[in-house]
Amino acid sequence: MTRNPNRTKSAVPVSAQPRLHQRAGEIQAYGTVSHLPPLELEEAVRLEMTAQLNQLLADTMTLRDLYKKCHWQVAGPTFYQLHLLFDKHFDEQVELVDALAERVQLLGGVSLAMAADVAETTQIERPPRGREEITVQLSRLIDAHQVIIQQSRPLARRAAELGDDGTNDLVVSDVIRTNELQIWFLSEHLVDVPLVAAKERSAAAGAS
Ligand SMILES: [Fe+2]
């Protein structure tokens, strides 16, 4: 019998058996950036940007989930309209989550991903597990948008200052613009206008 000279005794035999339940150390720690491709961005810049983007990511993931909670739990005569609106905004936040997470990765960082880590990181107030009325749902959503807008504006300016134009563009063109528009759509639902009959003007207001 001829032996294959390239085959050693230590070679792992080919097997159809899946190798399950594997664990090993991380290949990159959270909060670090890898030495990356020629992006012309210093490591210090990428460290600062990825840290801030991860905060924005955690808050965006929380807002995304808050939209689904509101979509499921909304009640009242405007159920159908708000049920659909909340899901539309949810879908748009899903897009932002992906863009932010992938920006962190392409800058050489490690993006936050799991709910437990997001819960520890987000600055958005935790709502109760139970259902709340529409006005409270809308107010919570607007407050959450505000948390995101508040950090996005200085982040965009800082990114421009550091020469990270891609992060600046993502935050301005996608995060800020989407959140501004969604705040408008929500806020108009909290304007107290009559549903059927116009309010009569008071005698004082009507007198000339
Ligand atoms: Fe649904």
Side-chain angles (χ1 to χ4, degrees):
M1 192 171 90
T2 26
R3 285 197 158 188
N4 181 348
N6 295 326
R7 191 162 178 173
T8 62
K9 276 186 182 171
S10 60
V12 179
V14 176
S15 164
Q17 175 62 40
R19 293 163 185 269
L20 306 175
H21 312 303
Q22 299 193 50
R23 301 285 186 279
E26 296 174 344
I27 59 170
Q28 184 184 349
Y30 180 78
T32 64
V33 288
S34 60
H35 304 292
L36 250 200
L39 293 177
E40 299 295 323
L41 287 171
E42 300 277 335
E43 192 166 315
V45 170
R46 293 187 290 112
L47 268 173
E48 182 177 336
M49 287 296 102
T50 50
Q52 291 200 44
L53 284 166
N54 263 327
Q55 181 61 58
L56 193 53
L57 174 62
D59 293 327
T60 303
M61 289 167 100
T62 304
L63 176 58
R64 172 202 65 189
D65 294 346
L66 186 58
Y67 266 115
K68 209 54 156 177
K69 174 177 168 63
C70 294
H71 166 76
W72 292 325
Q73 298 181 355
V74 64
T78 53
F79 169 85
Y80 188 60
Q81 175 198 339
L82 286 176
H83 182 68
L84 297 184
L85 179 71
F86 290 156
D87 223 19
K88 178 178 182 289
H89 285 192
F90 168 87
D91 288 341
E92 291 164 1
Q93 292 294 331
V94 166
E95 295 290 320
L96 293 181
V97 164
D98 200 44
L100 287 166
E102 290 180 358
R103 181 88 203 150
V104 171
Q105 293 294 144
L106 79 81
L107 287 173
V110 179
S111 57
L112 268 184
M114 300 307 291
D117 298 318
V118 171
E120 282 176 3
T121 309
T122 186
Q123 304 166 104
I124 293 170
E125 182 187 346
R126 180 178 176 173
R129 288 193 182 190
R131 297 173 81 183
E132 293 183 297
E133 57 196 278
I134 287 174
T135 50
V136 178
Q137 287 186 316
L138 290 165
S139 294
R140 280 193 190 282
L141 287 165
I142 293 168
D143 290 345
H145 278 292
Q146 193 178 359
V147 168
I148 286 169
I149 292 273
Q150 267 170 356
Q151 62 188 300
S152 295
R153 296 196 195 285
L155 169 55
R157 284 193 288 271
R158 182 70 177 145
E161 191 180 298
L162 294 173
D164 186 353
D165 304 312
T167 296
N168 170 273
D169 180 48
L170 170 66
V171 173
V172 173
S173 307
D174 298 317
V175 177
I176 292 178
R177 297 291 294 273
T178 301
N179 279 273
E180 284 177 338
L181 193 65
Q182 291 187 353
I183 288 175
W184 177 44
F185 270 75
L186 297 179
S187 302
E188 290 298 335
H189 289 85
L190 291 176
V191 178
D192 192 11
V193 290
L195 275 179
V196 178
K199 276 181 188 163
E200 282 186 32
R201 288 199 294 168
S202 68
S208 54

